[in-house]
Structures are given as C-alpha cells and as structure tokens.
Amino acid sequence: MKDALESLLTGGLTRRDFIKSSGVAAVGLAATAGAVALPFKSMAASAPAAKDEKIVWSACTVNCGSRCPLRMHVVDGEITWVETDNTGNDLYGNHQVRACLRGRSMRRRIYNPDRLKYPMKRIGKRGEGKFKRISWDEAYDEIAASMKRIIKEYGNEAIYLNYGTGTLGGTVTKSWPPGSTLIARLMNLTGGYLNHYGDYSTAQITVGLDYTYGGGWADGNSFSDLENSKLIVQFGNNPAETRMSGGGLTYYLAEAKARSNARMIVVDPRYTDTAGGREELWIPIRPGTDTAFVAAMAYVMITEDLVDQPFLDKYCVGYDEKTLPASAPARSDYKSYILGLGPDGIAKTPEWATRITGIPVETIIQTAREIATAKPCAILQGWGLQRTAAGEIASRSIAMLALLTGNVGINGGGTGARESDYSIPFVRFPTLTNPVKASIPMFLWTDAIVRGTEMTATRDGIRGVDKLKAPIKFIWNYAGNCLINQHADINRTHDILQDEKACEMIVVIDNHMTSSAKYADIVLPDLTTSEQADFCMDAFAGNMGYFIFADQAIAPQFESKGIYEICSEIAERMGVGEAFTEGRDQESWLRHLYTLTRKQDPGLPDFETMRKQGIYKRRDPDGHYVAYKAFREDPQGNPLGTPSGKIEIYSERLARIAATWELKEDEVIHPLPVYVSTFEGWDDKKRTIYPLQLTGFHYKARTHSTYGNVDILKDAARQELWINPLDADERGIQQGDLIRIFNDRGEVHIPAKVTPRILPGVVALGEGGWYAPDGSKVDKGGCINVLTTQRPSPLAKGNPQHTNLVDVQLVKKA
Ligand SMILES: Nc1nc2c(c(=O)[nH]1)N[C@H]1C(S)=C(S)[C@@H](COP(=O)(O)OP(=O)(O)OC[C@H]3O[C@@H](n4cnc5c(=O)[nH]c(N)nc54)[C@H](O)[C@@H]3O)O[C@H]1N2
Ligand SMILES: Nc1nc2c(c(=O)[nH]1)N[C@H]1C(S)=C(S)[C@@H](COP(=O)(O)OP(=O)(O)OC[C@H]3O[C@@H](n4cnc5c(=O)[nH]c(N)nc54)[C@H](O)[C@@H]3O)O[C@H]1N2
Ligand code: SF4
Ligand SMILES: [Mo]
C-alpha cells in the first residue's frame, strides 16, 4: 500500500493532480493490497463545478464487463478532472454506478503520449512501427482501392473483421461483436466478409454448455439472487477484478451475501481478490483439473446417497442407465462413469482425484457433503477454467454439481454457468445482413491467412461451407489489440503477418500506437468517447439495468475522426455512400435509434432529458433473474433447446461429433463431461522440461491492454509473475527479482511476485501487458501471449490461453 502511495507522490504528479485523484487513489490502494473492502461506498461527495468549468456526461466503454458514467470537468476545452455517477438515493439496487480507478484515469488515456494523431502509412516492416503521415483523403482512397482489388481477385470471403472489444459499450462506436459494427455495415453493403464464431472470452463454454442446456448460451441466476442462497461456490470466477464498477457485481456479491449470510467457497489456483477475506474456504486447484474434482465429489454424493434422484430422473438425460438415449451403449451413463462401471473401469474416488487436482481427500469429501446438503446452493463458474485445453468439457462438468443437487431453476440456486444480468432493451445500429455464409472459429484467423483454403468443417470447425474459397487477404482491425498483443503465440503471429503477400492489407483504427497498430499498413486515429456523442450500455449489473448518454466533452484531438465519418467516407468511395448514411449524421442516428427505442419502451426519458441526466437506471421488473425457471416449473410445456428438450448430461450430438470429426490422438470429444488429460496439463511429459503450469488472469491494472499505458495504474498494480515461495526458493528468486519466464514459443522478463496466494507448481500472469520486444525476441512488457499456444481446443476450436507450460529463472536480484 505504501509503495503505491509513494509512486503516486513521486510519479511527477502536481499537487492539484494528486488531490484530484486522491479519492481514486484510495480505491486503487485498497485493490492493490488485495484488501478488498468495497471501495465504492467510501468516495467523497462530488465537487461542484467551478465558475469557468462545464461538466459533461461521458462514459468508459471498454470491455471489462462493466460500464461506467464519467462526468468530465472541462475548462478551456480541456478535461481537467474526472468524476463519476453522483445521482439518486444510492440505495442498493438503485445505486450509483461508480467508475473504477481505470475509468477515473481516462484523462491519462485521452492525453496520452501514445495517442495516434494523423492517418499514417507504413514505411518499415510490419511490426517495426515506422510510418509516414498521410492525408485522410489518401488513406480513404488507398483503403477503397485495396478493397476493390482484393474483392475482385479473391472474393469477399478474403476480407476479415478482426475481433476488437476496445469500445464494445458504444452504439455508433460499438466495436464488438464485429458483426454489429459500422465496418460490418459497410462491408455488408459491398458484398460481405468472412464471418467468425466464438470469441476469446467464452469460446469453450459457449459451445460446451450448449450441449448440456441447449438454446445457444447457458444462463445462470443473477448475482442479486444470491441473497436467497445458503452456499455460494465460485469456480474460476473473480468478479472483484473482472466486474469492478459500482454497478458491477462485486457490490452485489457482498450485499447479497451479507443478506443471506451464505458461506462462500472459491475454487481457483490463485487466492483471488474475490476471496480476499470474504470466503469461508479457498480450494486451490491445479489448472485444468476441475473435471476430476467434480467427478470425485459426484462419487461422494452418489455413494452417500446425497444426489437429487427425482430431479435427475425428471429433467435430465443420461445420469443413469434409466434415462440414457436408445442410441447410447450400455454403461455409458454418468453414474456408471463415476462408479467405475463404464469403459475405463476407474472409480472416480477422492483418492483418485487428489493425485490429479492437488486437493486433499478430506477437502473433497467435506466439500461434496456441504454442496449436497446446503439448499439452495449457487454453483457458479467464471470463464477462467474454460479458457483451457479441454475447456468445453470442464465447463460442462461444473454444471454437473448443479444437476446432481437439483439446484437448477430455483431462487438461490444456479446452473453452474456464470451469473446473468438484466438489461434495458435498446435498438442498435442496423448493420444489415452478410451475404457471405462461411465462418471460421475466431481463434483460427491466423490459420485462415496461411492455410485458409485447406481448412475444413470436420478438422477445423469451418461452418456455413465445407471449405473456404480464399485465404484472408484484408483485415479490418477496429478497436482491438488482437493482431498481436491479445492473440496467442505472438512470435508465430509476427512471422505470419510479416509476409505481405499472404495478408495483403491491414487497416487499424485505434486511439493509440499499440503493438497491433504497428502491424498496420494504414493506421487511422479514432476519436475517443470524450470527443463524440454516443449511447453506451452492455454492462453486467445484477438486476439493475442502465444506459448512459455520453456527450461530446472536448473537440477532436489532433486530426482524429470518428468511426461513423471514416466508414461514411469509404462507403462513398465504394459507391454506397447514401445507402450507408441514409442521409443522417451521427447525432441524427442517435436520435433516430433512441426514437425507435422509446417507441418500444415509452417510459424512457426523452432525448434532451437523457442528454442532461446522463444515466438512466431501472430495476428488473421480475425481481431476480432465475435461469430455466419456466423449464423447472413445467418441463413439457417449456422444453429446453436441446434435441431432447431436457438437460443433456449424455449428449447424442457430441457422440456423433466424436465419431465423425478428425481429431488428434490426444484430443477428446465425449458425450459425457469426463475428465481428460490434455496437452500442456499437469501430467504432460513436457513438464520435465517446463515444470510450471502458467495460467493467466484478467487484471485490475487494465482492461486487457487498454489503460495499460497509464502511468499511475502501472504503479498501483504492477505487472509481475505470481510464484509460490517453494518454487521461488528452488530457483533462488525473491520478491521483486527480475526473472525470465520461457518455453519454446518465447521469453518474457519481468519482476517476480513471490506469494503463497498461488499453488506450488503453478505460476500466474495477468493478461494484457503491453508487448515490448527488445529486438532479440525477449519481451520486457510482460505480455503473456509470447508464451501461449496457438493450438486450439478440440471441440470449440477455442483459445486455451490459460493452458501453458513454462520454466522460470532468475535474471537479476532486485
Ligand atoms: N493470454 C490471454 N490472452 C487473452 C485473454 C486471456 O485471458 N489470456 N483474454 C482474451 C479476451 S477474453 C479478450 S475479450 C481479448 C480482448 O482483446 P481486445 O479486444 O484486443 O482488447 P484490448 O486489449 O483492450 O484492445 C482494445 C483496443 O481498443 C482500443 N480502443 C479503446 N477505446 C477505443 C476507441 O474508442 N476507439 C478505437 N478505435 N479504439 C479504442 C485500445 O487502444 C486497444 O488497442 O483478449 C483475449 N486475450
Ligand atoms: N479488470 C479487468 N476486468 C475484466 C477484464 C480485464 O481485462 N480487466 N476483461 C473482461 C473480459 S473481456 C472477460 S472475458 C472477463 C474474463 O473473466 P474470466 O475469464 O472469468 O477471468 P479470468 O481472470 O481469466 O479467470 C477467472 C479466474 O479463473 C482462474 N482460473 C484459471 N484457470 C483455472 C482452472 O483451471 N480452474 C479454476 N477453478 N480456476 C482457474 C483464474 O486464476 C482467475 O482467477 O473479464 C472481464 N473483466
Ligand atoms: S474500466 Fe470498467 S469498471 Fe472501470 S470505469 Fe471503465 S467500465 Fe467502469
Ligand atoms: Mo473477453
């Protein structure tokens, strides 16, 4: 705590700056110390505007799962300080949505030295960062000419909209999903683009839990409903870092838990900030082994007669032989698998699981009994354990606990999926329909550059067509850093992007010179949220929905222009200008979309009132969201979206895929959520060379890479490798020492955080550190993707970015 305070004081801040940010600093310090007290309620009341000052509502629209209003204090056209929601009675459920330390440091992002100022064209090699300034007209002309040529030569399938979530919370500025952006609208008017499915966030769980619950996306109950729970079990879920705003979920967790007095168990290889003193029990687990832990708890529940048999009989397929589908072989039910009566003949006893998970036998037995007897019990998973090599199966296995105990569809219970939230329906910018049907798994976009036409449905998960007609030749990269920083195996990606004959054109639209921007052929400086008007939403906020009107606070900086103008100008050059704009400018679109929204929801304030009041909130009229409530009440009348209409513990669809897809020898797709050992897991032979499991996490210092270039945030929450004292001692490493983390994909040098908050044998690194190669392929920025693998998971073909093996050595004593 002292360090952070010192760094604030010595970080070159003026006294005025410090006073302005001191409330903020308190938030950051609490978080840094892992202390945990909820910061949101301790903020000083907002200051009145000075005479020459205007206050403008704006917002933070980054992808942290929250969404916060910012009140910009503007003097002489400059934002001088930033505060947040100060409205209403601030009672829980109608509370103020208070920005975290990141949003409050927005000024340092707007006026950052990395800010892109002019359109530029690359003159060095991709990645070198050598550019020359060009005019907007030159940039538009070159982009349009390149698009026309590539569409003519390769077809529209060769154009790709790369994943980018930097401003996903906007309406006009919305950057994610790519199909909902203005770039998609532009492309759909000019013949379309190659689709992708899945995303870096939830590729494995989206696919995995769909086989269990059907309907595309599996819901959980809202966090507000935890006030009805007796026990809360969080698998790889860390809202204290991943849902940080005052509207966000840490506040709900703390308030609801206080109301229900529920116990909380946190299962995570790290002692997280979510645990942080709030938990009754932390169960550290080896990454990638949750399925084995669940199987052994199932063993205890079955052998001690603790399962909810009537629930399993009535609502589920394949728990035991009674409800197995006709196509399934004998003994292929879950109960047989657990008791060792299935093909592998292994009983999934606590003794069996302790060797795999590292969790003591007694803990497995006690936890199983507690989960089975606390009614109702909320079983939740974050997305950490599914961002792994067998994440599809792992995500399905967590749901097993909710099923065995009959907690689905009731207040205080849960489904084993992540929490859900209420949001106010809002009419979005129409992005039209993509004429191209081909779709790739998002994680395989680099493969689609180098071997696009060889990719198939049953080997690479291509959808919509059997094979691609063309490789990717043109990439739009809007508000994303996934060209490099956020995508796996950076050294491989670098090599692929080096070849200008492979992908021929890369256009990056960003606010900052990021590592991805350095790979652009043309880079365009976008407006920040503070330099334009937009409606902002898409927050996870329990049972309180809200949206924000973010107004223009300051004039565009340098020569930057907004995405609406950029796309309109290119549309004009592609001959679809009028179709793109429909004769409207940005503000006319906002008014138009809001008029449509109010038509379906007449209770909303009018446009001018919204502009003045900034934020609008509404409590979920249904109280708490309870997932699959209707199905629970009447399973015949309200069947699920699975083929059987029931919850599928045994999935015939998966059995078919397992029999027909081309898989590698060590890849498993299975109709049941069975434990499988994976590449780069705890028992991989490679551990003799790279003995440590490296897992990643989403870090409070940044939102992915965004805010990663803000000085005070870097000081308050440093980029360090978490390593257990046992592993550190063995290597002569102490707190703060500079270390090298390496495997055969790359090498990173950063300081060590030596802490018992991580399991021995496991190290952890926050994702999103700014990639900073030193010229000899060593990264000094702490970017985990230098070390992650491009090998996809078997079923979703998703990103297993938390599954890696590495070793660590001392470079220099602190
Ligand atoms: N190893 C590892 N890698 C991961 C993950 C992991 O857990 N481990 N997580 C993955 C996940 S879940 C995700 S969602 C992705 C996120 O990856 P990205 O979507 O790439 O997220 P950011 O790194 O925040 O990059 C957002 C970019 O948008 C820019 N930006 C911000 N605001 C604006 C704006 O108003 N206009 C424009 N034009 N640009 C703007 C920022 O400067 C930044 O360059 O990362 C993935 N990568
Ligand atoms: N501050 C901040 N907030 C964010 C983001 C951010 O970058 N910064 N990113 C946002 C985005 S886009 C997303 S998708 C979400 C991501 O949300 P999550 O995917 O849930 O976040 P992670 O931190 O990757 O993982 C959650 C926890 O899982 C643990 N974990 C890892 N492997 C395993 C395992 O095998 N088993 C178990 N039991 N636990 C494991 C990690 O240690 C971590 O504490 O966060 C969002 N919120
Ligand atoms: S980073 Fe997230 S929690 Fe923080 S201010 Fe922005 S939207 Fe809110
Ligand atoms: Mo994400």
Side-chain angles (χ1 to χ4, degrees), residues 60 62 64 66-68 99-100 102-103 244-245 703 707:
C60 177
V62 300
C64 69
S66 297
R67 181 75 43 249
C68 299
C100 80
R102 297 186 296 276
M244 286 179 80
S245 88
T703 298
Y707 288 106

Side-chain angles (χ1 to χ4, degrees), residues 63-66 100 102 163 165 168 199-202 234-244 267-270 272 283 285-290 381-388 394 398 418 486 540 695-705 758 764 767-768 802:
N63 180 16
C64 69
S66 297
C100 80
R102 297 186 296 276
Y163 182 97
T165 63
L168 93 169
D199 52 55
Y200 291 96
S201 311
T202 62
Q234 307 259 22
F235 284 87
N237 197 20
N238 183 23
E241 273 186 278
T242 60
R243 301 287 184 251
M244 286 179 80
V267 186
D268 200 301
R270 297 183 309 133
T272 59
I283 304 180
I285 186 167
R286 280 197 193 112
T289 66
D290 297 74
Q381 67 178 305
W383 301 330
L385 68 99
Q386 60 88 48
R387 205 173 291 108
T388 54
I398 306 301
R418 196 166 183 169
Q486 297 304 108
F540 297 107
T695 180
F697 61 95
H698 290 235
Y699 190 24
K700 62 196 162 201
R702 300 175 294 270
T703 298
H704 308 291
S705 69
I758 181 114
E767 62 100 331
H802 289 352

